[in-house]
PDB file of all heavy atoms in Angstrom:
ATOM      1  N   PHE A   1      68.940  91.428 110.698  1.00 86.00           N
ATOM      2  CA  PHE A   1      69.555  91.372 109.346  1.00 86.00           C
ATOM      3  C   PHE A   1      71.062  91.462 109.451  1.00 86.00           C
ATOM      4  O   PHE A   1      71.810  90.751 108.771  1.00 86.00           O
ATOM      5  CB  PHE A   1      68.967  92.472 108.465  1.00 86.00           C
ATOM      6  CG  PHE A   1      69.558  92.534 107.085  1.00 86.00           C
ATOM      7  CD1 PHE A   1      69.184  91.594 106.161  1.00 86.00           C
ATOM      8  CD2 PHE A   1      70.451  93.537 106.736  1.00 86.00           C
ATOM      9  CE1 PHE A   1      69.722  91.618 104.881  1.00 86.00           C
ATOM     10  CE2 PHE A   1      71.014  93.551 105.431  1.00 86.00           C
ATOM     11  CZ  PHE A   1      70.618  92.616 104.503  1.00 86.00           C
ATOM     12  N   ILE A   2      71.552  92.372 110.315  1.00 86.00           N
ATOM     13  CA  ILE A   2      72.958  92.540 110.475  1.00 86.00           C
ATOM     14  C   ILE A   2      73.622  91.355 111.058  1.00 86.00           C
ATOM     15  O   ILE A   2      74.674  90.889 110.618  1.00 86.00           O
ATOM     16  CB  ILE A   2      73.230  93.810 111.350  1.00 86.00           C
ATOM     17  CG1 ILE A   2      72.813  95.093 110.655  1.00 86.00           C
ATOM     18  CG2 ILE A   2      74.742  93.875 111.780  1.00 86.00           C
ATOM     19  CD1 ILE A   2      72.831  96.335 111.490  1.00 86.00           C
ATOM     20  N   GLU A   3      72.963  90.666 112.023  1.00 88.00           N
ATOM     21  CA  GLU A   3      73.477  89.438 112.629  1.00 88.00           C
ATOM     22  C   GLU A   3      73.528  88.303 111.581  1.00 88.00           C
ATOM     23  O   GLU A   3      74.524  87.562 111.502  1.00 88.00           O
ATOM     24  CB  GLU A   3      72.631  89.067 113.813  1.00 88.00           C
ATOM     25  CG  GLU A   3      72.812  90.011 115.031  1.00 88.00           C
ATOM     26  CD  GLU A   3      71.903  89.550 116.186  1.00 88.00           C
ATOM     27  OE1 GLU A   3      70.925  88.761 115.932  1.00 88.00           O
ATOM     28  OE2 GLU A   3      72.127  90.043 117.318  1.00 88.00           O
ATOM     29  N   ASP A   4      72.460  88.196 110.815  1.00 89.00           N
ATOM     30  CA  ASP A   4      72.412  87.113 109.783  1.00 89.00           C
ATOM     31  C   ASP A   4      73.517  87.358 108.751  1.00 89.00           C
ATOM     32  O   ASP A   4      74.181  86.345 108.268  1.00 89.00           O
ATOM     33  CB  ASP A   4      71.048  87.096 109.170  1.00 89.00           C
ATOM     34  CG  ASP A   4      69.991  86.603 110.066  1.00 89.00           C
ATOM     35  OD1 ASP A   4      70.314  85.963 111.068  1.00 89.00           O
ATOM     36  OD2 ASP A   4      68.761  86.855 109.771  1.00 89.00           O
ATOM     37  N   LEU A   5      73.751  88.561 108.391  1.00 87.00           N
ATOM     38  CA  LEU A   5      74.741  88.856 107.328  1.00 87.00           C
ATOM     39  C   LEU A   5      76.147  88.584 107.863  1.00 87.00           C
ATOM     40  O   LEU A   5      76.963  87.921 107.191  1.00 87.00           O
ATOM     41  CB  LEU A   5      74.683  90.307 106.949  1.00 87.00           C
ATOM     42  CG  LEU A   5      75.580  90.849 105.859  1.00 87.00           C
ATOM     43  CD1 LEU A   5      75.379  90.050 104.574  1.00 87.00           C
ATOM     44  CD2 LEU A   5      75.352  92.302 105.588  1.00 87.00           C
ATOM     45  N   ALA A   6      76.403  88.921 109.136  1.00 89.00           N
ATOM     46  CA  ALA A   6      77.714  88.587 109.724  1.00 89.00           C
ATOM     47  C   ALA A   6      77.887  87.115 109.877  1.00 89.00           C
ATOM     48  O   ALA A   6      79.036  86.575 109.628  1.00 89.00           O
ATOM     49  CB  ALA A   6      77.817  89.280 111.141  1.00 89.00           C
ATOM     50  N   ALA A   7      76.819  86.374 110.209  1.00 92.00           N
ATOM     51  CA  ALA A   7      76.966  84.937 110.310  1.00 92.00           C
ATOM     52  C   ALA A   7      77.344  84.311 108.983  1.00 92.00           C
ATOM     53  O   ALA A   7      78.138  83.328 108.969  1.00 92.00           O
ATOM     54  CB  ALA A   7      75.655  84.360 110.850  1.00 92.00           C
ATOM     55  N   MET A   8      76.745  84.748 107.906  1.00 90.00           N
ATOM     56  CA  MET A   8      77.076  84.279 106.608  1.00 90.00           C
ATOM     57  C   MET A   8      78.524  84.557 106.217  1.00 90.00           C
ATOM     58  O   MET A   8      79.287  83.687 105.702  1.00 90.00           O
ATOM     59  CB  MET A   8      76.145  84.863 105.538  1.00 90.00           C
ATOM     60  CG  MET A   8      74.795  84.187 105.483  1.00 90.00           C
ATOM     61  SD  MET A   8      74.967  82.467 104.971  1.00 90.00           S
ATOM     62  CE  MET A   8      75.496  82.610 103.328  1.00 90.00           C
ATOM     63  N   ARG A   9      78.998  85.765 106.560  1.00 92.00           N
ATOM     64  CA  ARG A   9      80.387  86.122 106.266  1.00 92.00           C
ATOM     65  C   ARG A   9      81.331  85.218 107.068  1.00 92.00           C
ATOM     66  O   ARG A   9      82.386  84.779 106.564  1.00 92.00           O
ATOM     67  CB  ARG A   9      80.664  87.587 106.559  1.00 92.00           C
ATOM     68  CG  ARG A   9      79.982  88.565 105.663  1.00 92.00           C
ATOM     69  CD  ARG A   9      80.422  89.994 105.917  1.00 92.00           C
ATOM     70  NE  ARG A   9      81.819  90.135 105.584  1.00 92.00           N
ATOM     71  CZ  ARG A   9      82.528  91.219 105.984  1.00 92.00           C
ATOM     72  NH1 ARG A   9      81.987  92.154 106.722  1.00 92.00           N
ATOM     73  NH2 ARG A   9      83.795  91.295 105.592  1.00 92.00           N
ATOM     74  N   LEU A  10      81.004  84.956 108.345  1.00 94.00           N
ATOM     75  CA  LEU A  10      81.823  84.155 109.182  1.00 94.00           C
ATOM     76  C   LEU A  10      81.852  82.682 108.706  1.00 94.00           C
ATOM     77  O   LEU A  10      82.824  81.958 108.981  1.00 94.00           O
ATOM     78  CB  LEU A  10      81.359  84.192 110.644  1.00 94.00           C
ATOM     79  CG  LEU A  10      81.591  85.478 111.377  1.00 94.00           C
ATOM     80  CD1 LEU A  10      80.826  85.558 112.668  1.00 94.00           C
ATOM     81  CD2 LEU A  10      83.109  85.634 111.642  1.00 94.00           C
ATOM     82  N   ALA A  11      80.854  82.282 108.000  1.00 93.00           N
ATOM     83  CA  ALA A  11      80.849  80.879 107.470  1.00 93.00           C
ATOM     84  C   ALA A  11      81.755  80.785 106.263  1.00 93.00           C
ATOM     85  O   ALA A  11      82.215  79.618 105.945  1.00 93.00           O
ATOM     86  CB  ALA A  11      79.418  80.518 107.094  1.00 93.00           C
ATOM     87  N   PHE A  12      82.044  81.822 105.561  1.00 94.00           N
ATOM     88  CA  PHE A  12      82.813  81.757 104.353  1.00 94.00           C
ATOM     89  C   PHE A  12      84.190  82.377 104.446  1.00 94.00           C
ATOM     90  O   PHE A  12      85.209  81.738 104.050  1.00 94.00           O
ATOM     91  CB  PHE A  12      82.040  82.435 103.167  1.00 94.00           C
ATOM     92  CG  PHE A  12      80.887  81.638 102.697  1.00 94.00           C
ATOM     93  CD1 PHE A  12      79.608  81.956 103.098  1.00 94.00           C
ATOM     94  CD2 PHE A  12      81.085  80.592 101.735  1.00 94.00           C
ATOM     95  CE1 PHE A  12      78.531  81.215 102.643  1.00 94.00           C
ATOM     96  CE2 PHE A  12      80.002  79.906 101.298  1.00 94.00           C
ATOM     97  CZ  PHE A  12      78.696  80.182 101.747  1.00 94.00           C
ATOM     98  N   GLU A  13      84.317  83.596 104.902  1.00 95.00           N
ATOM     99  CA  GLU A  13      85.550  84.393 104.739  1.00 95.00           C
ATOM    100  C   GLU A  13      86.692  83.833 105.504  1.00 95.00           C
ATOM    101  O   GLU A  13      87.862  83.864 105.032  1.00 95.00           O
ATOM    102  CB  GLU A  13      85.248  85.866 105.020  1.00 95.00           C
ATOM    103  CG  GLU A  13      84.459  86.573 103.975  1.00 95.00           C
ATOM    104  CD  GLU A  13      84.477  88.028 104.125  1.00 95.00           C
ATOM    105  OE1 GLU A  13      85.454  88.676 103.688  1.00 95.00           O
ATOM    106  OE2 GLU A  13      83.469  88.521 104.646  1.00 95.00           O
ATOM    107  N   PRO A  14      86.574  83.384 106.780  1.00 97.00           N
ATOM    108  CA  PRO A  14      87.714  82.803 107.465  1.00 97.00           C
ATOM    109  C   PRO A  14      88.302  81.609 106.720  1.00 97.00           C
ATOM    110  O   PRO A  14      89.545  81.449 106.665  1.00 97.00           O
ATOM    111  CB  PRO A  14      87.166  82.425 108.813  1.00 97.00           C
ATOM    112  CG  PRO A  14      86.053  83.368 109.061  1.00 97.00           C
ATOM    113  CD  PRO A  14      85.398  83.513 107.720  1.00 97.00           C
ATOM    114  N   GLU A  15      87.428  80.824 106.114  1.00 97.00           N
ATOM    115  CA  GLU A  15      87.947  79.701 105.348  1.00 97.00           C
ATOM    116  C   GLU A  15      88.625  80.141 104.042  1.00 97.00           C
ATOM    117  O   GLU A  15      89.594  79.551 103.597  1.00 97.00           O
ATOM    118  CB  GLU A  15      86.809  78.707 104.980  1.00 97.00           C
ATOM    119  CG  GLU A  15      86.220  78.026 106.218  1.00 97.00           C
ATOM    120  CD  GLU A  15      87.325  77.388 107.050  1.00 97.00           C
ATOM    121  OE1 GLU A  15      88.189  76.640 106.491  1.00 97.00           O
ATOM    122  OE2 GLU A  15      87.348  77.579 108.299  1.00 97.00           O
ATOM    123  N   ALA A  16      88.079  81.212 103.492  1.00 97.00           N
ATOM    124  CA  ALA A  16      88.768  81.790 102.295  1.00 97.00           C
ATOM    125  C   ALA A  16      90.177  82.277 102.653  1.00 97.00           C
ATOM    126  O   ALA A  16      91.133  82.055 101.899  1.00 97.00           O
ATOM    127  CB  ALA A  16      87.979  82.936 101.707  1.00 97.00           C
ATOM    128  N   ALA A  17      90.299  82.905 103.825  1.00 98.00           N
ATOM    129  CA  ALA A  17      91.649  83.329 104.285  1.00 98.00           C
ATOM    130  C   ALA A  17      92.576  82.135 104.481  1.00 98.00           C
ATOM    131  O   ALA A  17      93.755  82.194 104.173  1.00 98.00           O
ATOM    132  CB  ALA A  17      91.490  84.181 105.568  1.00 98.00           C
ATOM    133  N   ALA A  18      92.031  81.051 105.068  1.00 98.00           N
ATOM    134  CA  ALA A  18      92.836  79.856 105.292  1.00 98.00           C
ATOM    135  C   ALA A  18      93.311  79.283 103.991  1.00 98.00           C
ATOM    136  O   ALA A  18      94.437  78.850 103.839  1.00 98.00           O
ATOM    137  CB  ALA A  18      92.053  78.858 106.148  1.00 98.00           C
ATOM    138  N   LEU A  19      92.410  79.197 103.014  1.00 98.00           N
ATOM    139  CA  LEU A  19      92.761  78.676 101.684  1.00 98.00           C
ATOM    140  C   LEU A  19      93.816  79.607 101.035  1.00 98.00           C
ATOM    141  O   LEU A  19      94.713  79.116 100.355  1.00 98.00           O
ATOM    142  CB  LEU A  19      91.539  78.565 100.806  1.00 98.00           C
ATOM    143  CG  LEU A  19      90.564  77.430 101.097  1.00 98.00           C
ATOM    144  CD1 LEU A  19      89.330  77.558 100.278  1.00 98.00           C
ATOM    145  CD2 LEU A  19      91.266  76.063 100.841  1.00 98.00           C
ATOM    146  N   ALA A  20      93.670  80.926 101.243  1.00 98.00           N
ATOM    147  CA  ALA A  20      94.629  81.837 100.693  1.00 98.00           C
ATOM    148  C   ALA A  20      95.992  81.576 101.264  1.00 98.00           C
ATOM    149  O   ALA A  20      97.052  81.696 100.508  1.00 98.00           O
ATOM    150  CB  ALA A  20      94.194  83.274 100.929  1.00 98.00           C
ATOM    151  N   ALA A  21      96.042  81.276 102.538  1.00 98.00           N
ATOM    152  CA  ALA A  21      97.346  80.998 103.219  1.00 98.00           C
ATOM    153  C   ALA A  21      98.012  79.741 102.530  1.00 98.00           C
ATOM    154  O   ALA A  21      99.233  79.639 102.511  1.00 98.00           O
ATOM    155  CB  ALA A  21      97.135  80.800 104.688  1.00 98.00           C
ATOM    156  N   ARG A  22      97.202  78.841 102.090  1.00 98.00           N
ATOM    157  CA  ARG A  22      97.715  77.604 101.518  1.00 98.00           C
ATOM    158  C   ARG A  22      98.114  77.812 100.029  1.00 98.00           C
ATOM    159  O   ARG A  22      99.043  77.155  99.577  1.00 98.00           O
ATOM    160  CB  ARG A  22      96.619  76.548 101.581  1.00 98.00           C
ATOM    161  CG  ARG A  22      97.058  75.149 101.190  1.00 98.00           C
ATOM    162  CD  ARG A  22      95.900  74.184 101.150  1.00 98.00           C
ATOM    163  NE  ARG A  22      95.079  74.260 102.395  1.00 98.00           N
ATOM    164  CZ  ARG A  22      93.898  73.708 102.551  1.00 98.00           C
ATOM    165  NH1 ARG A  22      93.330  73.015 101.543  1.00 98.00           N
ATOM    166  NH2 ARG A  22      93.267  73.803 103.673  1.00 98.00           N
ATOM    167  N   ARG A  23      97.457  78.735  99.353  1.00 98.00           N
ATOM    168  CA  ARG A  23      97.618  78.808  97.862  1.00 98.00           C
ATOM    169  C   ARG A  23      98.201  80.097  97.347  1.00 98.00           C
ATOM    170  O   ARG A  23      98.384  80.216  96.144  1.00 98.00           O
ATOM    171  CB  ARG A  23      96.211  78.561  97.270  1.00 98.00           C
ATOM    172  CG  ARG A  23      95.593  77.213  97.609  1.00 98.00           C
ATOM    173  CD  ARG A  23      94.176  77.134  97.136  1.00 98.00           C
ATOM    174  NE  ARG A  23      93.616  75.748  97.405  1.00 98.00           N
ATOM    175  CZ  ARG A  23      92.326  75.457  97.189  1.00 98.00           C
ATOM    176  NH1 ARG A  23      91.448  76.326  96.771  1.00 98.00           N
ATOM    177  NH2 ARG A  23      91.946  74.211  97.416  1.00 98.00           N
ATOM    178  N   ALA A  24      98.447  81.053  98.195  1.00 98.00           N
ATOM    179  CA  ALA A  24      98.884  82.407  97.729  1.00 98.00           C
ATOM    180  C   ALA A  24     100.242  82.316  96.990  1.00 98.00           C
ATOM    181  O   ALA A  24     101.139  81.575  97.392  1.00 98.00           O
ATOM    182  CB  ALA A  24      98.987  83.341  98.876  1.00 98.00           C
ATOM    183  N   THR A  25     100.309  83.039  95.907  1.00 98.00           N
ATOM    184  CA  THR A  25     101.587  83.206  95.161  1.00 98.00           C
ATOM    185  C   THR A  25     102.238  84.532  95.600  1.00 98.00           C
ATOM    186  O   THR A  25     101.614  85.364  96.255  1.00 98.00           O
ATOM    187  CB  THR A  25     101.335  83.289  93.659  1.00 98.00           C
ATOM    188  OG1 THR A  25     100.568  84.485  93.411  1.00 98.00           O
ATOM    189  CG2 THR A  25     100.542  82.107  93.189  1.00 98.00           C
ATOM    190  N   PRO A  26     103.530  84.728  95.302  1.00 98.00           N
ATOM    191  CA  PRO A  26     104.117  86.007  95.630  1.00 98.00           C
ATOM    192  C   PRO A  26     103.373  87.217  95.028  1.00 98.00           C
ATOM    193  O   PRO A  26     103.293  88.261  95.672  1.00 98.00           O
ATOM    194  CB  PRO A  26     105.504  85.869  95.008  1.00 98.00           C
ATOM    195  CG  PRO A  26     105.797  84.410  95.009  1.00 98.00           C
ATOM    196  CD  PRO A  26     104.479  83.776  94.721  1.00 98.00           C
ATOM    197  N   GLU A  27     102.788  87.016  93.864  1.00 98.00           N
ATOM    198  CA  GLU A  27     102.021  88.091  93.246  1.00 98.00           C
ATOM    199  C   GLU A  27     100.746  88.410  94.073  1.00 98.00           C
ATOM    200  O   GLU A  27     100.370  89.586  94.238  1.00 98.00           O
ATOM    201  CB  GLU A  27     101.631  87.728  91.775  1.00 98.00           C
ATOM    202  CG  GLU A  27     102.740  87.679  90.783  1.00 98.00           C
ATOM    203  CD  GLU A  27     103.598  86.377  90.972  1.00 98.00           C
ATOM    204  OE1 GLU A  27     103.171  85.397  91.618  1.00 98.00           O
ATOM    205  OE2 GLU A  27     104.778  86.398  90.476  1.00 98.00           O
ATOM    206  N   ASP A  28     100.117  87.370  94.602  1.00 98.00           N
ATOM    207  CA  ASP A  28      98.938  87.557  95.462  1.00 98.00           C
ATOM    208  C   ASP A  28      99.316  88.289  96.714  1.00 98.00           C
ATOM    209  O   ASP A  28      98.590  89.239  97.132  1.00 98.00           O
ATOM    210  CB  ASP A  28      98.365  86.189  95.856  1.00 98.00           C
ATOM    211  CG  ASP A  28      97.737  85.403  94.725  1.00 98.00           C
ATOM    212  OD1 ASP A  28      97.265  86.032  93.827  1.00 98.00           O
ATOM    213  OD2 ASP A  28      97.877  84.189  94.762  1.00 98.00           O
ATOM    214  N   ILE A  29     100.464  87.951  97.346  1.00 98.00           N
ATOM    215  CA  ILE A  29     100.890  88.657  98.498  1.00 98.00           C
ATOM    216  C   ILE A  29     101.166  90.125  98.273  1.00 98.00           C
ATOM    217  O   ILE A  29     100.790  91.015  99.036  1.00 98.00           O
ATOM    218  CB  ILE A  29     102.137  87.933  99.102  1.00 98.00           C
ATOM    219  CG1 ILE A  29     101.824  86.471  99.498  1.00 98.00           C
ATOM    220  CG2 ILE A  29     102.641  88.731 100.323  1.00 98.00           C
ATOM    221  CD1 ILE A  29     100.722  86.366 100.551  1.00 98.00           C
ATOM    222  N   ALA A  30     101.831  90.399  97.131  1.00 98.00           N
ATOM    223  CA  ALA A  30     102.135  91.784  96.800  1.00 98.00           C
ATOM    224  C   ALA A  30     100.862  92.543  96.607  1.00 98.00           C
ATOM    225  O   ALA A  30     100.715  93.731  97.003  1.00 98.00           O
ATOM    226  CB  ALA A  30     102.997  91.792  95.501  1.00 98.00           C
ATOM    227  N   ARG A  31      99.871  91.969  95.956  1.00 98.00           N
ATOM    228  CA  ARG A  31      98.551  92.616  95.752  1.00 98.00           C
ATOM    229  C   ARG A  31      97.897  92.945  97.101  1.00 98.00           C
ATOM    230  O   ARG A  31      97.431  94.051  97.310  1.00 98.00           O
ATOM    231  CB  ARG A  31      97.647  91.695  94.912  1.00 98.00           C
ATOM    232  CG  ARG A  31      96.223  92.231  94.711  1.00 98.00           C
ATOM    233  CD  ARG A  31      95.344  91.221  94.050  1.00 98.00           C
ATOM    234  NE  ARG A  31      93.977  91.718  93.889  1.00 98.00           N
ATOM    235  CZ  ARG A  31      92.959  90.916  93.482  1.00 98.00           C
ATOM    236  NH1 ARG A  31      93.163  89.607  93.240  1.00 98.00           N
ATOM    237  NH2 ARG A  31      91.737  91.411  93.352  1.00 98.00           N
ATOM    238  N   LEU A  32      97.886  91.994  98.019  1.00 98.00           N
ATOM    239  CA  LEU A  32      97.293  92.199  99.307  1.00 98.00           C
ATOM    240  C   LEU A  32      97.985  93.303 100.128  1.00 98.00           C
ATOM    241  O   LEU A  32      97.306  94.156 100.733  1.00 98.00           O
ATOM    242  CB  LEU A  32      97.276  90.910 100.089  1.00 98.00           C
ATOM    243  CG  LEU A  32      96.285  89.842  99.546  1.00 98.00           C
ATOM    244  CD1 LEU A  32      96.515  88.480 100.264  1.00 98.00           C
ATOM    245  CD2 LEU A  32      94.831  90.271  99.689  1.00 98.00           C
ATOM    246  N   HIS A  33      99.292  93.291 100.120  1.00 98.00           N
ATOM    247  CA  HIS A  33     100.046  94.296 100.817  1.00 98.00           C
ATOM    248  C   HIS A  33      99.777  95.704 100.238  1.00 98.00           C
ATOM    249  O   HIS A  33      99.561  96.715 100.953  1.00 98.00           O
ATOM    250  CB  HIS A  33     101.547  94.076 100.737  1.00 98.00           C
ATOM    251  CG  HIS A  33     102.048  93.138 101.753  1.00 98.00           C
ATOM    252  ND1 HIS A  33     101.926  93.371 103.125  1.00 98.00           N
ATOM    253  CD2 HIS A  33     102.700  91.926 101.669  1.00 98.00           C
ATOM    254  CE1 HIS A  33     102.475  92.367 103.788  1.00 98.00           C
ATOM    255  NE2 HIS A  33     102.935  91.486 102.947  1.00 98.00           N
ATOM    256  N   ALA A  34      99.624  95.787  98.897  1.00 98.00           N
ATOM    257  CA  ALA A  34      99.328  97.068  98.271  1.00 98.00           C
ATOM    258  C   ALA A  34      97.953  97.590  98.659  1.00 98.00           C
ATOM    259  O   ALA A  34      97.783  98.798  98.882  1.00 98.00           O
ATOM    260  CB  ALA A  34      99.422  96.941  96.719  1.00 98.00           C
ATOM    261  N   ILE A  35      97.035  96.682  98.758  1.00 98.00           N
ATOM    262  CA  ILE A  35      95.652  97.056  99.105  1.00 98.00           C
ATOM    263  C   ILE A  35      95.644  97.568 100.608  1.00 98.00           C
ATOM    264  O   ILE A  35      95.007  98.589 100.943  1.00 98.00           O
ATOM    265  CB  ILE A  35      94.645  95.961  98.932  1.00 98.00           C
ATOM    266  CG1 ILE A  35      94.496  95.625  97.471  1.00 98.00           C
ATOM    267  CG2 ILE A  35      93.283  96.330  99.446  1.00 98.00           C
ATOM    268  CD1 ILE A  35      93.677  94.444  97.179  1.00 98.00           C
ATOM    269  N   VAL A  36      96.344  96.855 101.528  1.00 98.00           N
ATOM    270  CA  VAL A  36      96.365  97.270 102.863  1.00 98.00           C
ATOM    271  C   VAL A  36      97.076  98.664 103.002  1.00 98.00           C
ATOM    272  O   VAL A  36      96.684  99.499 103.813  1.00 98.00           O
ATOM    273  CB  VAL A  36      97.079  96.200 103.754  1.00 98.00           C
ATOM    274  CG1 VAL A  36      97.276  96.783 105.168  1.00 98.00           C
ATOM    275  CG2 VAL A  36      96.222  94.966 103.833  1.00 98.00           C
TER     276      VAL A  36
END
């Protein structure tokens, strides 16, 4: 179950991060820095 869950995350989240790199606004970046 843990392996299957990780595989699903790997199928989506790296691409979400790549899209974020393409589309992020200054407000988005500020939000992410604050969360980190």
Side-chain angles (χ1 to χ4, degrees):
F1 179 73
I2 293 171
E3 288 178 346
D4 289 343
L5 184 57
M8 280 296 294
R9 292 187 67 193
L10 286 168
F12 287 97
E13 289 192 79
E15 293 308 312
L19 285 172
R22 188 186 311 169
R23 300 171 175 174
T25 66
E27 291 76 18
D28 294 325
I29 298 300
R31 176 188 179 191
L32 290 170
H33 277 300
I35 295 174
V36 172

